[in-house]
Amino acid sequence: MKILLFWIFIIPFVKGGLPSLRDNFRLPVHAHEGEDALVTCVVRNLGENTLLWRKQDGERRTSKVLTAGPNRVTSDRRFSVMHNEAPAVDGNSSSGGDVWVLVIRDVKASDAGIYVCEVNSNPILRSFHTLEVISISLQPPGSLSTFSNITLNSDVNLDHEFTECCRDLNVSDKCLGFCNLRKIIDGQTGEEPFNCESDFKQIVRCMADGRNHVPCCLSEGIPDICQDICRGEYSIPTDDLKSHVSCSQYTEQTLACIADGIAVLPGPPTNVHIEAISDRSIRVEWSPPIQKEDTITKYWINISGLRAFDDNREQPAEGKNTKTDVMDKKTDGDKLKFFQKKVDQGVNSTIISDLEPFTMYEISVQSVNKHGTSLPSQHIRTLTLTPQSIRPSNGKAPELPDIRSCCSRKGVYHQMCVDKFCDPVKSGATTLPELMICAPWAKESFSCLANEIDHSACCKARGLPPICVELCSGNITSRVDFNHFKCIQYMDDLSNCVLQGFGVLPSEPRNLEVSNISPNFAIFHWNLPKVLGDTVTSYNLYFRQLQAGKPTYKAIPHVHDPFILENLESGREYEVYVRAVNDHGVSDPSSRILFKTEKESVLEIEEEEDNSGYNVTSCCVQINVNPVCLPLCSYSAKMSDLKALAPACGREFNKLLRCGAGGRDHKFCCARRGVPSSCQGLCTGHVSDDVFSIAAACLPFLGNAIQCFEEGAGYIPSPPYDIHATQVEEGKITLRWTRPAEGNVSMYSIYFHEVPANASGHDVDVSEWDGPIINTTEVFQHIEGLAKNKMYSFYVIATNDYGSSLPSAVVTLNITNGENVTAKGVPSSPTDVGIISRGADYLTVSWHPPRFIHPTDTIVYNIYYRPVEYPKFLKWSTDSLSYKIDELQSNVKYIIYVTASSEYGESRPSETLITWTDPSYAPILEAVTIHPTKFIREGGSMTIVCGALGNPMPTVEIYVGGKIISSERTRYLVTIISNVTRDMNEVSCYAENGIGTAAQASRRVVISRRPHIKSPMLTFSSLGDEAVIECEVDSYPEANITFSYDMDGEQIIASGGRYRTQIEKLHEDIEDSPYTSRLYISNVSKEDEQVYYCNAVNTFGSFAHASKLTLRDKAVPITDVAQCCRNQNISSSCMVACTLFLDIDSVIDNPACINDFHKLMRCAADGSDHRSCCSQWGVPRRCLDWCRGEAVTDTELCALSYTQPIVSCFYEGRDRIPGPPTNIKVQVVSSGTAQISWDPPLKNPGTVELYRVFWRPVGSAESGRNDTKEKSITINDLKDGVAYELVLKAGNHYGISKLTEPIKFSIDDSTVIYFSSAATAHQSVNVAVAVIMSLLIITALLVAGYMFYRRRIAEFSSKIANGISFSNPGYGRNTDTVQIIHSEINTETTDPPGRSRVSTSTEWREETLEAPSAFSSSNEVQPTVYEELRLGTTGAGFKRLK
């Protein structure tokens, strides 16, 4: 009856066919209380079978069905099943997806335990999943209790109440409910058992009430290992694995026996006293029991001689069971060990005679009536005396002087003073109040007490102070006052000195000695005092430990020589002395003895524990057990090690079990210790059924089995080894073997059997042979009467009185006439060979180890396989119990068998398997499963399940937000994403196995998140204009967006008057799309120049973003559009559009103006580059040149479709985007160094945030560039005489200007020389050649593109016919978006002045300003291939840089 701590080995493999549970997750599932728990089961090829989820009840050994298929069976609505249906494959009916997730919502602590995923196939498949619930209050989980769910027969007396006993033994108040048998049965104890386990030892002692319930427990079939409560004992399980035994199934019978026994059995005798009266006799006295005294018929006195104190006692004969010897009665030829003396009722004392001198005996007394016995009384140990220390009969102590008469004569009339100060025996116990009361008669009292004898010398020797020594003399000259109060503490010594002076006390004991010093006790001897030794009635022994903090002596009164001082600490020094006692007082101390107890030796303890000669750890090392698992290779293995190493050592379970059993048959012991028959395979070291199911059902009994392993080691023989045939004659054979290394053998049994022709090793189960058996005591045997030319198998078992070994190795050979052979014994065949998983290119085979194998044999398993049509077997070897055969052909029939090899040879083949590999097919993805399905919170976690069918097994990848998160070759890939961010809104699964086309499935995830705002920190406007402050809000659920004057959002700006707000969703078709909010302020005044806050609030939080409105002088267009039109020779009919600004609506319908549109756009662009704005409005690349005032190739298309957005951008940027810098100058600073300076743009000079400068040698493909916010820059590393060209542009975070016209210069003798554009006309020939080469390249590219297009059209048509699949693994993983980022303005230049960087020719043409935030790359438009090829053509040059 123990509180069990279950810990099941995690066995990484399970035998089975199809369907299969091989892909299940083995790690425990952890969930916090109140969260949702997901327990995942992966089943392949479920077919028409049904999957059940069960909750296992470990105590009752039952399970409760929770779900069947997708349906909930239990009434608890918190349970449900998450499962996605899968499409049909290769014409088969749809069987559903492989992943079945048991969802437990709002998980509780009581939900913790083992959940079983069960498939009702034939055979039934099960996988076990542990759920651990982490309590919020950190309370320990509920444990299995011995005192729960108990029912007893109605005729059992339940009135046993023992609360008072529990209180006397200090049982805590909260656990007193267990001190009533009826409350235990009714489950009304008021406290959980695991909270009272520390009190169970006292509770069980009180429950048994000193009665012996063991006979009843035996009659009820309770095994001996579970009878501790029947004896009133309880052992709390420790970290020692063998202390965790399973007895809960016997709780009902145990409590019934206790209830019956309390009503009829007597209690134990009380007040047991033992006295050694001679060297061969001991007196035993006792009092009758309190319980059932009137029913007692006799008493049993149990006497046990203890070998540990016997110097010359003989050891038992080799091979004898010392436990049995202890229980033997005394016989003439044996030394005395144990016997009983029976005394009739009414007699309460007896003398035990015929004992041995100076021997320790342990004695207890039992009450007996017709119903049974009590438990033994407290065990008392005593030593018989030595002949030299036998005490003579006590003499009579001398008479004391008549002190009381003396006091009366001297006038002491106070009766208390007479009693205390006139009696030397009682004066030692005088108190201070008594001394104060009797002070007036102190002179007379102490004078009579001294009896005219001066005892001062004795008092001085005992250390009394001088003022107190005066009292010892009897001659007190001064008055007794407060100065004498200190003498109270010395009154005992004073009294002793007086008695000693009277000659009535014995002298000190003599010759104090110590012997038999052990770690925990020592024996002391002494002789009688020289003076008045015959008056001594007993002795007082005083001892102390010589250690800091323990200076005080402890006294043990009423002891006798010799005396055993017990309960000492090992390795400590002690001081001991003895004083003799007679009727008058105590003698002086004896001489003191100093001694040191022995230290406990760990080596000696280990040798005592492992005296069998069998070393479990050595066995494990010999058979190559994983070194990590060696802590489990011991009969003293720890539960903590088992828990920690179970996942890593699951595959070593069979080896550990084999070494634990040691080749011995422990089934008889296991049956006696309550191990059920279904689990007794553990007791032979061989598990014949499915390992995982055996482990789950039988591990509660592992402690019982380990105790049997340890008990049998050294007594039960191990198997014979090196069995072999030495000679074979006609019908005869001679076998020989080697005697086992451990255990005495009394007989060998030889089993043999004829093997049928063409039988495999598995066809003949040698464990069930019913053939002849030959017994012998020799290590060889001649066997006759065998059939010629027949195959026979032989094995040998060793036996003795304690049990038998397991079978030896098996010798199998053909009996052929006259053949002299040496056939050695080999392991029997592996059993239960099966396929545990299969695929298109592999088969995984598993088997059980041989039944007959020596525990220390190193076994290698050989797997033989071949296709049916292939004549030769292929072979692989392993030391594991499973093997995956790779590189097989799909949809092919294979033949497989397994053998076992040891150093002596190879076994016969196992049974033969014929099996198919799976057909191959391309991967098919199930829909992406995400949990929780809704309300995934930013910062939280989500579980992604990607399931893929396909043979061979596909490689499954999970992409989140376009980034790969996990990749594994598996059927189902489960990934838990912690700390989810808002950009993880796209989840994709990708599967590929090399067959057909890869598969992909995607799902958008809505992430609940607090608002986040993006907005420019500065917004510019002019007085009188309308200012727009814009912010983009990203949140879900939708946020409440407002503008305010303060950060806290209290001073909200409401729509009305000059203020207007607008909120619009960016993407209507996306649930969690961001929103854009704008605040319009019309007729801006100086007071409006301040900081505004964009505020957003939703259920997950709030966010505020500041944006400052900055005013500038209203810009006046520096370009007169009408004058510009006249300069461009615009036709008169189109001049109507040339007003202060471009009025494009007036000419949009006039076809005659189409040819002048590029001129109108040049005038309206006003020197600025508006392409960034145009690209946001959807203007295509072929029309973007109009946005910077350049001509386009398709004037009609651009004019009809995109004129309005282009002109809108002109209006939008007229006050925001600066024009190009002006008045550029070059000045020589030193050799190779020039300073470039310029003036601000004429248009919007106040908006310039950065200038960019480009320069390069004329005709070079590479250029230098630098950025600055100043109006000058220094260029280094220029070469004299080399012609350079230079351009500039200005920009801010809204856009950039056009490039300035190029300036060409060279440096010659510190002089700047400027060139005109005509100076480079000689380059035109080279340009013409470049154009021709470019046209040839373009033609080649067009031809290649056409061929590629034809091929892609053919592929796409094929995919439509066969179902859509995505061949590009990157498809859908990244989304290209155009994002305009308004960053904070960079107050520093990216490239320091005077330090340039090299730009490519593309940068020359397109001026991609990538470093400073003011020039975002999104404000630039990249060139087309055709534009790349136009580099250097006539009239292009820097125009492509605009």
Side-chain angles (χ1 to χ4, degrees):
M1 180 172 162
K2 311 283 186 184
I3 291 184
L4 298 181
L5 298 176
F6 287 105
W7 185 266
I8 298 178
F9 263 108
I10 300 177
I11 307 299
F13 51 90
V14 183
K15 177 185 178 297
L18 293 177
S20 170
L21 298 173
R22 68 180 182 276
D23 293 323
N24 269 313
F25 311 106
R26 302 296 184 193
L27 297 177
V29 178
H30 298 81
H32 287 82
E33 193 172 2
E35 293 184 346
D36 292 352
L38 302 178
V39 186
T40 303
C41 180
V42 180
V43 53
R44 181 178 172 231
N45 295 334
L46 182 62
E48 300 300 326
N49 300 298
T50 302
L51 184 140
L52 307 176
W53 275 108
R54 297 175 178 268
K55 172 72 182 297
Q56 195 173 67
D57 187 334
E59 181 68 16
R60 299 184 181 182
R61 306 202 178 177
T62 60
S63 60
K64 177 182 178 182
V65 178
L66 303 175
T67 66
N71 304 312
R72 175 172 54 84
V73 176
T74 178
S75 59
D76 192 339
R77 295 182 178 274
R78 298 181 301 116
F79 290 86
S80 62
V81 172
M82 185 168 64
H83 172 66
N84 289 327
E85 291 297 326
V89 180
D90 293 343
N92 296 330
S93 61
S94 174
S95 60
D98 286 359
V99 174
W100 297 75
V101 181
L102 177 65
V103 181
I104 310 173
R105 305 191 186 281
D106 189 21
V107 70
K108 303 175 182 177
S110 58
D111 294 328
I114 297 176
Y115 290 80
V116 183
C117 173
E118 178 178 299
V119 179
N120 65 343
S121 56
N122 186 14
I124 293 177
L125 298 180
R126 296 184 181 91
S127 63
F128 298 84
H129 307 259
T130 302
L131 172 63
E132 298 180 3
V133 179
I134 304 173
S135 175
I136 297 176
S137 59
L138 297 180
Q139 294 295 324
S143 63
L144 298 174
S145 168
T146 345
F147 296 140
S148 61
N149 303 318
I150 304 170
T151 57
L152 296 181
N153 296 331
S154 58
D155 56 348
V156 175
N157 180 19
L158 302 179
D159 295 331
H160 183 31
E161 200 271 343
F162 43 96
T163 304
E164 289 304 318
C165 174
C166 289
R167 291 187 188 277
D168 292 341
L169 295 181
N170 297 319
V171 173
S172 55
D173 291 342
K174 68 177 182 179
C175 300
L176 291 177
F178 289 99
C179 299
N180 185 300
L181 194 59
R182 184 175 294 279
K183 289 184 178 180
I184 294 175
I185 302 303
D186 295 340
Q188 297 177 356
T189 57
E191 190 62 59
E192 292 294 332
F194 59 80
N195 291 331
C196 297
E197 187 169 359
S198 59
D199 288 321
F200 276 179
K201 187 173 184 178
Q202 292 77 20
I203 292 172
V204 169
R205 177 180 171 185
C206 290
M207 181 189 295
D209 197 27
R211 329 290 179 91
N212 185 11
H213 308 282
V214 173
C216 174
C217 292
L218 284 172
S219 66
E220 291 292 330
I222 299 174
D224 56 359
I225 200 172
C226 300
Q227 293 173 10
D228 50 356
I229 288 186
C230 306
R231 296 187 296 269
E233 300 171 357
Y234 181 84
S235 301
I236 298 176
T238 64
D239 196 32
D240 195 342
L241 183 59
K242 61 190 175 191
S243 71
H244 296 267
V245 297
S246 179
C247 294
S248 56
Q249 63 271 33
Y250 303 106
T251 301
E252 178 180 338
Q253 299 94 313
T254 302
L255 293 183
C257 281
I258 291 176
D260 289 340
I262 292 297
V264 297
L265 295 177
T270 60
N271 302 322
V272 178
H273 178 70
I274 297 175
E275 181 184 6
I277 58 177
S278 73
D279 59 338
R280 291 185 174 272
S281 59
I282 296 173
R283 183 193 306 277
V284 183
E285 299 177 350
W286 64 91
S287 299
I290 301 173
Q291 309 96 330
K292 307 293 180 183
E293 177 185 358
D294 55 338
T295 67
I296 293 176
T297 58
K298 61 177 66 71
Y299 295 100
W300 288 348
I301 293 86
N302 306 309
I303 304 99
S304 298
L306 301 183
R307 182 180 305 279
F309 296 87
D310 245 341
D311 294 338
N312 300 312
R313 188 165 303 283
E314 296 180 3
Q315 298 299 321
E318 182 181 356
K320 270 201 169 184
N321 186 339
T322 56
K323 296 183 179 179
T324 305
D325 292 344
V326 171
M327 301 303 295
D328 284 344
K329 300 292 184 180
K330 178 183 177 183
T331 60
D332 294 337
D334 292 334
K335 290 289 185 178
L336 177 64
K337 290 304 296 180
F338 172 83
F339 65 95
Q340 284 183 335
K341 182 174 183 179
K342 300 179 181 180
V343 178
D344 291 335
Q345 185 270 340
V347 178
N348 296 332
S349 67
T350 187
I351 294 177
I352 311 299
S353 303
D354 298 330
L355 304 179
E356 296 185 12
F358 193 55
T359 302
M360 173 168 278
Y361 288 90
E362 185 174 88
I363 299 174
S364 64
V365 185
Q366 287 179 272
S367 304
V368 183
N369 67 7
K370 64 178 182 179
H371 300 289
T373 69
S374 70
L375 291 173
S377 65
Q378 181 179 1
H379 294 261
I380 301 177
R381 291 182 178 183
T382 188
L383 276 171
T384 52
L385 303 176
T386 60
Q388 297 79 11
S389 64
I390 298 175
R391 295 191 298 275
S393 59
N394 290 338
K396 188 176 180 181
E399 295 290 336
L400 290 173
D402 189 2
I403 307 297
R404 300 176 69 91
S405 299
C406 175
C407 289
S408 298
R409 289 195 303 268
K410 292 188 176 185
V412 181
Y413 57 83
H414 197 290
Q415 187 61 41
M416 181 195 70
C417 299
V418 173
D419 292 340
K420 282 289 185 180
F421 292 94
C422 300
D423 186 342
V425 176
K426 296 181 179 179
S427 61
T430 303
T431 63
L432 180 59
E434 292 170 341
L435 179 61
M436 294 173 64
I437 293 171
C438 299
W441 301 282
K443 184 176 180 180
E444 294 79 6
S445 300
F446 283 101
S447 174
C448 290
L449 188 63
N451 196 28
E452 299 180 354
I453 300 174
D454 188 355
H455 307 282
S456 301
C458 175
C459 290
K460 289 179 181 179
R462 291 177 182 262
L464 271 69
I467 197 171
C468 301
V469 172
E470 184 183 12
L471 302 179
C472 301
S473 66
N475 184 18
I476 301 176
T477 58
S478 60
R479 180 181 177 183
V480 175
D481 55 17
F482 66 89
N483 292 314
H484 292 82
F485 289 171
K486 67 176 70 175
C487 299
I488 289 297
Q489 58 185 314
Y490 301 105
M491 289 302 294
D492 185 55
D493 292 317
L494 187 150
S495 174
N496 223 44
C497 282
V498 171
L499 291 171
Q500 185 174 333
F502 292 163
V504 298
L505 294 181
S507 60
E508 70 278 0
R510 296 175 300 153
N511 302 327
L512 178 64
E513 296 178 351
V514 61
S515 66
N516 298 76
I517 299 175
S518 76
N520 305 112
F521 67 89
I523 301 178
F524 293 88
H525 319 262
W526 59 88
N527 294 335
L528 293 172
K530 187 174 183 179
V531 177
L532 297 180
D534 58 342
T535 68
V536 175
T537 57
S538 66
Y539 296 87
N540 295 341
L541 183 141
Y542 302 83
F543 73 99
R544 69 172 178 173
Q545 188 180 130
L546 297 179
Q547 178 182 346
K550 296 185 178 181
T552 306
Y553 284 97
K554 295 182 180 179
I556 304 177
H558 309 302
V559 304
H560 295 282
D561 165 55
F563 178 75
I564 306 167
L565 182 59
E566 297 184 276
N567 300 321
L568 304 179
E569 296 182 24
S570 64
R572 299 291 186 181
E573 283 191 307
Y574 288 88
E575 180 182 9
V576 178
Y577 68 89
V578 183
R579 299 175 76 173
V581 181
N582 69 4
D583 294 338
H584 296 305
V586 182
S587 73
D588 284 341
S590 69
S591 59
R592 285 164 167 77
I593 282 186
L594 300 179
F595 72 98
K596 187 175 182 179
T597 54
E598 299 287 340
K599 288 186 178 180
E600 289 184 334
S601 171
V602 176
L603 276 176
E604 290 177 2
I605 293 173
E606 290 179 352
E607 289 174 1
E608 182 179 350
E609 291 179 350
D610 192 20
N611 57 7
S612 66
Y614 177 65
N615 191 318
V616 185
T617 304
S618 176
C619 171
C620 290
V621 172
Q622 281 186 260
I623 62 176
N624 299 323
V625 170
N626 187 336
V628 174
C629 307
L630 290 182
L632 301 179
C633 294
S634 169
Y635 295 143
S636 300
K638 305 299 182 185
M639 175 62 76
S640 56
D641 290 336
L642 178 61
K643 291 181 178 181
L645 299 177
C649 300
R651 291 184 178 273
E652 306 288 349
F653 180 73
N654 279 286
K655 292 182 180 179
L656 295 171
L657 198 60
R658 175 163 38 120
C659 281
R664 302 171 178 86
D665 189 347
H666 303 276
K667 285 189 292 186
F668 177 77
C669 172
C670 286
R672 178 166 48 87
R673 292 186 181 270
V675 178
S677 57
S678 59
C679 298
Q680 288 183 9
L682 293 173
C683 305
T684 62
H686 180 85
V687 178
S688 58
D689 294 328
D690 176 75
V691 175
F692 188 79
S693 60
I694 285 292
C698 299
L699 275 183
F701 303 97
L702 189 58
N704 308 48
I706 291 177
Q707 291 189 22
C708 286
F709 291 167
E710 187 174 27
E711 180 181 302
Y715 295 106
I716 301 176
S718 58
Y721 64 95
D722 191 22
I723 178 174
H724 56 280
T726 58
Q727 187 175 14
V728 177
E729 300 177 359
E730 183 177 353
K732 301 177 182 179
I733 186 172
T734 301
L735 295 176
R736 187 174 291 275
W737 56 88
T738 302
R739 183 181 299 274
E742 299 95 18
N744 294 322
V745 179
S746 58
M747 184 176 63
Y748 297 98
S749 299
I750 300 95
Y751 294 75
F752 58 97
H753 192 281
E754 181 181 341
V755 180
N758 301 321
S760 69
H762 184 73
D763 291 333
V764 180
D765 186 357
V766 291
S767 65
E768 299 178 358
W769 283 356
D770 55 0
I773 301 174
I774 300 176
N775 297 323
T776 181
T777 58
E778 303 295 335
V779 292
F780 62 90
Q781 181 65 40
H782 303 288
I783 304 175
E784 301 180 353
L786 304 178
K788 287 196 331 180
N789 297 321
K790 297 292 184 180
M791 187 76 70
Y792 281 86
S793 289
F794 306 83
Y795 69 85
V796 182
I797 290 179
T799 61
N800 64 12
D801 293 340
Y802 297 101
S804 63
S805 73
L806 295 175
S808 68
V810 180
V811 174
T812 303
L813 76 168
N814 193 300
I815 305 300
T816 304
N817 185 28
E819 183 180 352
N820 294 322
V821 297
T822 305
K824 294 190 175 183
V826 297
S828 60
S829 305
T831 61
D832 300 317
V833 180
I835 302 296
I836 60 174
S837 66
R838 73 181 74 225
D841 58 349
Y842 75 93
L843 291 169
T844 302
V845 187
S846 73
W847 54 90
H848 288 157
R851 293 182 60 86
F852 298 165
I853 176 177
H854 196 276
T856 59
D857 280 350
T858 301
I859 300 299
V860 175
Y861 297 99
N862 307 303
I863 302 94
Y864 295 86
Y865 68 98
R866 65 176 175 87
V868 171
E869 67 278 2
Y870 192 69
K872 184 178 179 180
F873 278 96
L874 301 175
K875 173 186 174 182
W876 291 104
S877 298
T878 180
D879 61 354
S880 178
L881 292 176
S882 65
Y883 188 80
K884 183 179 180 181
I885 309 174
D886 289 311
E887 301 179 1
L888 303 181
Q889 303 173 34
S890 64
N891 204 25
V892 171
K893 185 189 295 186
Y894 283 86
I895 299 175
I896 303 173
Y897 69 86
V898 184
T899 64
S901 296
S902 69
E903 61 178 310
Y904 299 108
E906 186 174 9
S907 74
R908 291 179 56 78
S910 67
E911 67 265 45
T912 300
L913 289 183
I914 299 179
T915 185
W916 291 78
T917 52
D918 289 342
S920 60
Y921 56 90
I924 300 175
L925 276 170
E926 296 182 355
V928 181
T929 302
I930 297 177
H931 187 85
T933 55
K934 293 183 178 179
F935 306 116
I936 300 174
R937 185 172 180 175
E938 185 176 31
S941 62
M942 62 178 175
T943 302
I944 304 170
V945 181
C946 289
L949 300 176
N951 260 331
M953 183 184 295
T955 298
V956 182
E957 298 175 348
I958 294 179
Y959 291 82
V960 178
K963 298 179 180 179
I964 187 168
I965 300 298
S966 182
S967 178
E968 186 178 344
R969 190 167 184 259
T970 181
R971 301 289 183 190
Y972 279 86
L973 182 59
V974 178
T975 298
I976 299 176
I977 306 294
S978 301
N979 194 21
V980 173
T981 58
R982 62 186 64 212
D983 59 346
M984 296 180 179
N985 54 5
E986 288 288 341
V987 176
S988 299
C989 296
Y990 176 80
E992 190 273 333
N993 67 350
I995 304 297
T997 307
Q1000 179 172 315
S1002 300
R1003 177 174 174 177
R1004 181 172 177 81
V1005 182
V1006 176
I1007 299 173
S1008 300
R1009 55 199 183 271
R1010 62 170 290 198
H1012 180 76
I1013 299 175
K1014 292 190 295 185
S1015 175
M1017 297 185 65
L1018 295 176
T1019 300
F1020 296 94
S1021 184
S1022 301
L1023 291 171
D1025 286 352
E1026 183 179 60
V1028 181
I1029 300 175
E1030 181 178 289
C1031 62
E1032 181 181 308
V1033 179
D1034 177 49
S1035 68
Y1036 188 84
E1038 178 183 348
N1040 180 26
I1041 306 172
T1042 60
F1043 286 93
S1044 66
Y1045 295 111
D1046 62 321
M1047 183 181 296
D1048 297 330
E1050 296 179 356
Q1051 303 176 28
I1052 296 177
I1053 303 173
S1055 295
R1058 295 188 303 114
Y1059 299 97
R1060 177 170 58 90
T1061 59
Q1062 179 188 33
I1063 300 176
E1064 62 179 9
K1065 193 173 185 179
L1066 292 183
H1067 307 286
E1068 292 294 338
D1069 56 336
I1070 299 178
E1071 182 180 0
D1072 59 338
S1073 168
Y1075 286 79
T1076 299
S1077 180
R1078 298 182 181 90
L1079 172 64
Y1080 296 91
I1081 306 175
S1082 61
N1083 193 18
V1084 173
S1085 63
K1086 189 65 177 176
E1087 290 74 17
D1088 296 323
E1089 187 176 25
Q1090 60 176 302
V1091 176
Y1092 296 85
Y1093 291 90
C1094 180
N1095 305 285
V1097 180
N1098 69 1
T1099 55
F1100 294 102
S1102 61
F1103 198 94
H1105 193 282
S1107 181
K1108 184 178 181 182
L1109 177 61
T1110 302
L1111 299 183
R1112 61 189 176 198
D1113 294 335
K1114 189 169 183 178
V1116 178
I1118 57 118
T1119 301
D1120 185 346
V1121 177
Q1123 182 61 43
C1124 178
C1125 290
R1126 286 191 291 272
N1127 294 340
Q1128 293 292 329
N1129 296 320
I1130 301 290
S1131 59
S1132 57
S1133 60
C1134 301
M1135 283 294 294
V1136 65
C1138 298
T1139 57
L1140 184 61
F1141 295 104
L1142 181 65
D1143 183 10
I1144 199 66
D1145 291 333
S1146 60
V1147 295
I1148 192 67
D1149 296 327
N1150 187 353
C1153 296
I1154 293 296
N1155 294 330
D1156 289 333
F1157 262 46
H1158 68 281
K1159 300 177 182 179
L1160 294 172
M1161 295 299 178
R1162 182 178 295 118
C1163 291
D1166 199 15
S1168 298
D1169 189 341
H1170 303 274
R1171 288 180 297 169
S1172 175
C1173 173
C1174 292
S1175 65
Q1176 295 183 61
W1177 284 95
V1179 176
R1181 184 181 296 275
R1182 57 180 174 271
C1183 300
L1184 283 180
D1185 278 345
W1186 267 3
C1187 300
R1188 56 181 178 177
E1190 293 295 323
V1192 298
T1193 56
D1194 198 344
T1195 304
E1196 291 80 3
L1197 174 64
C1198 296
L1200 293 175
S1201 303
Y1202 301 106
T1203 298
Q1204 291 293 348
I1206 292 173
V1207 173
S1208 297
C1209 286
F1210 291 162
Y1211 279 101
E1212 182 179 332
R1214 65 183 182 181
D1215 296 331
R1216 296 182 176 182
I1217 303 175
T1222 60
N1223 196 19
I1224 302 172
K1225 298 178 182 179
V1226 181
Q1227 182 179 357
V1228 176
V1229 176
S1230 61
S1231 177
T1233 303
Q1235 184 179 38
I1236 314 299
S1237 60
W1238 58 88
D1239 292 336
L1242 297 177
K1243 177 189 173 186
N1244 299 329
T1247 65
V1248 176
E1249 297 171 2
L1250 206 66
Y1251 295 98
R1252 175 162 289 179
V1253 182
F1254 290 92
W1255 70 94
R1256 71 179 178 187
V1258 174
S1260 174
E1262 294 186 349
S1263 65
R1265 82 172 194 201
N1266 210 333
D1267 300 328
T1268 180
K1269 62 179 180 179
E1270 307 297 335
K1271 291 188 285 297
S1272 66
I1273 191 171
T1274 300
I1275 302 176
N1276 299 316
D1277 301 326
L1278 299 178
K1279 297 180 180 179
D1280 293 345
V1282 176
Y1284 289 91
E1285 51 186 351
L1286 172 76
V1287 291
L1288 287 85
K1289 65 179 175 180
N1292 59 20
H1293 63 279
Y1294 288 111
I1296 56 177
S1297 72
K1298 296 176 58 177
L1299 286 172
T1300 62
E1301 289 297 324
I1303 295 178
K1304 296 181 176 58
F1305 67 94
S1306 68
I1307 299 177
D1308 191 8
D1309 297 330
S1310 300
T1311 303
V1312 176
I1313 303 174
Y1314 292 93
F1315 298 91
S1316 67
S1317 59
T1320 58
H1322 66 277
Q1323 300 175 8
S1324 59
V1325 175
N1326 294 333
V1327 170
V1329 173
V1331 169
I1332 294 173
M1333 293 300 296
S1334 300
L1335 292 175
L1336 291 175
I1337 293 172
I1338 291 172
T1339 303
L1341 290 174
L1342 291 175
V1343 172
Y1346 176 74
M1347 297 300 293
F1348 178 75
Y1349 175 75
R1350 287 284 303 273
R1351 186 169 65 253
R1352 294 297 292 169
I1353 289 296
E1355 291 179 0
F1356 184 71
S1357 300
S1358 175
K1359 292 172 186 175
I1360 293 177
N1362 298 317
I1364 296 177
S1365 181
F1366 302 97
S1367 60
N1368 181 9
Y1371 179 82
R1373 303 179 196 178
N1374 296 290
T1375 303
D1376 294 332
T1377 58
V1378 177
Q1379 183 179 12
I1380 308 301
I1381 303 174
H1382 300 290
S1383 304
E1384 297 182 22
I1385 295 178
N1386 193 346
T1387 57
E1388 297 182 2
T1389 59
T1390 302
D1391 300 319
R1395 188 175 179 183
S1396 62
R1397 61 173 291 226
V1398 177
S1399 302
T1400 63
S1401 58
T1402 303
E1403 289 177 309
W1404 244 142
R1405 294 189 300 277
E1406 292 301 324
E1407 315 91 44
T1408 303
L1409 303 181
E1410 56 193 28
S1413 58
F1415 291 169
S1416 173
S1417 61
S1418 60
N1419 293 335
E1420 303 294 332
V1421 179
Q1422 296 300 322
T1424 63
V1425 175
Y1426 181 66
E1427 289 173 330
E1428 294 277 357
L1429 296 174
R1430 288 180 57 194
L1431 174 62
T1433 58
T1434 304
F1438 278 104
K1439 291 183 180 181
R1440 299 313 306 162
L1441 299 174
K1442 294 180 181 179

